Amino acid sequence: MPVQPVTVQPSVSENKVPHRQMDAEARINKVDFNKIKTEQHRPVIALVLGSGGARGYAHIGAIQVLEEYGIRPDFIVGTSAGSIVGSIYASGKNAVELRDIALKMKAGDVRDIKLGMKGFFDGKKVEDYINDQVADTSLEHLKIPMYVVATELREGRKVVFNYGNTGQAVRASVSIPSMFVPAQIGETEYVDGGLVSPVPVDTARELGADIVIAVDILAQPVYTETTNVWGLFNQNINIMQNRLAREELKSADIVIQPDLREKAHIFDVKGREATIQAGINAALLKMNDIEAVFNKRHYPLKEKEVQFSVKDQY
């Protein structure tokens, strides 16, 4: 009896075509936040996470406290460090998971040296790291609507990405000029969103937020070391960003400002637990104010579920 030939079917993984996200884009916002007011009869809540380099760990602490009080934003707007934390949070991870990711992250996970005329960090590792954390989910498909602020380099315009490649948008938002090579999307180059909107409250208002909770992690110039070249570089950015932020923060309902002192390199990941705790402390100090804002909108807060700190977990 002749042996019948065996046809080997390729496995699912062999058939799988690598997923490629569409390039990040700034499209007209199609999320109708007014439905929240009309159907759920409550205010639209925006969480605004500002720029600030390694101080971005404080965002995690602030998010932790908001979660404990049952406050979930209807959308998030993030600039630079805020776009990193915001995008991962928007993908569906909670504060405990965010802390775990932050404490395990190595500088090498997001830093790739590429010496050139325009900068010495490429930014591709940031893009890949974010896409890995959000499971290659595009901005428009994240569980919480996410808006990433960057600066269009040629004209200095604010650009708000809300569609396409999440990691690519974040890469653009964190690309500090002269440090990072500008992020190129299509034919356009983008740099750090903190140049035009370090704490993007105005964007949140434009999108329809009734209550804006902003987390400002900018370094205060008075605490910046200016005895070396790196310190002077930081100080230039700090002065500019603080003036820009001061104006936008006037429009926020709540401003959470962790007590952080600028002493570390932007990629220094030491002391991250203390930085997260600073975010926790600052948010707790604002809870009475937050409750007052919510009560004014006839939207009382839930009972606080549990209180814990970084020290309780690690």
Side-chain angles (χ1 to χ4, degrees):
M1 183 176 179
V3 177
Q4 295 295 322
V6 177
T7 302
V8 179
Q9 296 294 329
S11 67
V12 174
S13 60
E14 290 173 333
N15 274 331
K16 186 177 179 180
V17 177
H19 174 70
R20 183 183 181 278
Q21 297 186 62
M22 298 291 289
D23 280 347
E25 293 182 39
R27 293 190 176 184
I28 295 173
N29 180 50
K30 293 184 178 180
V31 182
D32 186 4
F33 293 114
N34 279 323
K35 282 187 176 181
I36 293 172
K37 302 177 189 179
T38 58
E39 296 179 4
Q40 299 183 32
H41 307 290
R42 65 172 182 82
V44 177
I45 304 165
L47 176 62
V48 173
L49 303 177
S51 61
R55 295 181 302 277
Y57 294 116
H59 287 315
I60 298 170
I63 289 170
Q64 174 183 308
V65 173
L66 296 177
E67 278 191 350
E68 290 173 2
Y69 281 87
I71 299 172
R72 177 184 168 87
D74 296 300
F75 67 89
I76 303 166
V77 188
T79 295
S80 199
S83 73
I84 293 175
V85 176
S87 62
I88 298 174
Y89 180 44
S91 74
K93 291 181 171 61
N94 60 32
V96 172
E97 292 170 310
L98 289 176
R99 277 206 324 279
D100 186 57
I101 290 168
L103 296 176
K104 288 179 179 177
M105 188 190 76
K106 301 179 179 65
D109 292 338
V110 294
R111 179 172 58 190
D112 42 5
I113 297 174
K114 180 181 179 180
L115 299 176
M117 295 295 292
K118 292 186 175 182
F120 46 90
F121 293 132
D122 181 61
K124 185 63 168 65
K125 276 195 172 183
V126 172
E127 178 178 334
D128 292 343
Y129 181 81
I130 294 299
N131 281 332
D132 182 58
Q133 295 300 329
V134 304
D136 286 319
T137 306
S138 299
L139 281 168
E140 72 276 15
H141 293 136
L142 293 173
K143 293 182 179 180
I144 303 174
M146 177 72 202
Y147 301 86
V148 176
V149 177
T151 304
E152 189 276 324
L153 180 58
R154 182 173 293 275
E155 297 180 6
R157 294 182 294 108
K158 178 176 74 174
V159 176
V160 182
F161 292 109
N162 62 342
Y163 182 89
N165 191 318
T166 301
Q168 191 180 57
V170 171
R171 176 183 181 179
S173 185
V174 305
S175 292
I176 301 171
S178 301
M179 180 183 293
F180 281 85
V181 175
Q184 185 160 337
I185 303 175
E187 300 299 317
T188 307
E189 290 184 318
Y190 299 91
V191 292
D192 196 296
L195 294 178
V196 291
S197 187
V199 192
V201 174
D202 290 349
T203 298
R205 289 295 187 199
E206 290 160 7
L207 287 165
D210 296 309
I211 296 176
V212 175
I213 301 174
V215 186
D216 172 20
I217 58 169
L218 291 173
Q220 299 304 308
V222 68
Y223 298 125
T224 303
E225 178 61 58
T226 57
T227 59
N228 54 59
V229 172
W230 181 251
L232 289 170
F233 178 78
N234 273 340
Q235 187 71 322
N236 289 336
I237 295 175
N238 293 343
I239 292 171
M240 175 192 68
Q241 290 189 330
N242 272 275
R243 288 187 177 180
L244 288 172
R246 196 176 300 126
E247 291 305 310
E248 287 204 60
L249 289 172
K250 291 177 182 177
S251 299
D253 295 284
I254 298 293
V255 180
I256 298 171
Q257 292 177 307
D259 184 9
L260 300 166
R261 307 298 167 92
E262 177 63 36
K263 291 183 180 179
H265 185 283
I266 194 168
F267 277 117
D268 180 19
V269 292
K270 295 179 181 178
R272 61 189 87 177
E273 291 184 4
T275 305
I276 294 172
Q277 189 64 50
I280 292 171
N281 296 342
L284 287 172
L285 287 173
K286 288 290 184 176
M287 285 315 304
N288 286 338
D289 293 339
I290 292 174
E291 186 172 10
V293 169
F294 276 58
N295 286 337
K296 188 176 180 180
R297 291 280 185 171
H298 306 291
Y299 186 57
L301 293 179
K302 297 178 181 179
E303 287 294 322
K304 187 171 181 288
E305 296 176 0
V306 63
Q307 183 173 357
F308 57 90
S309 67
V310 174
K311 292 178 181 178
D312 295 328
Q313 301 293 320
Y314 298 93

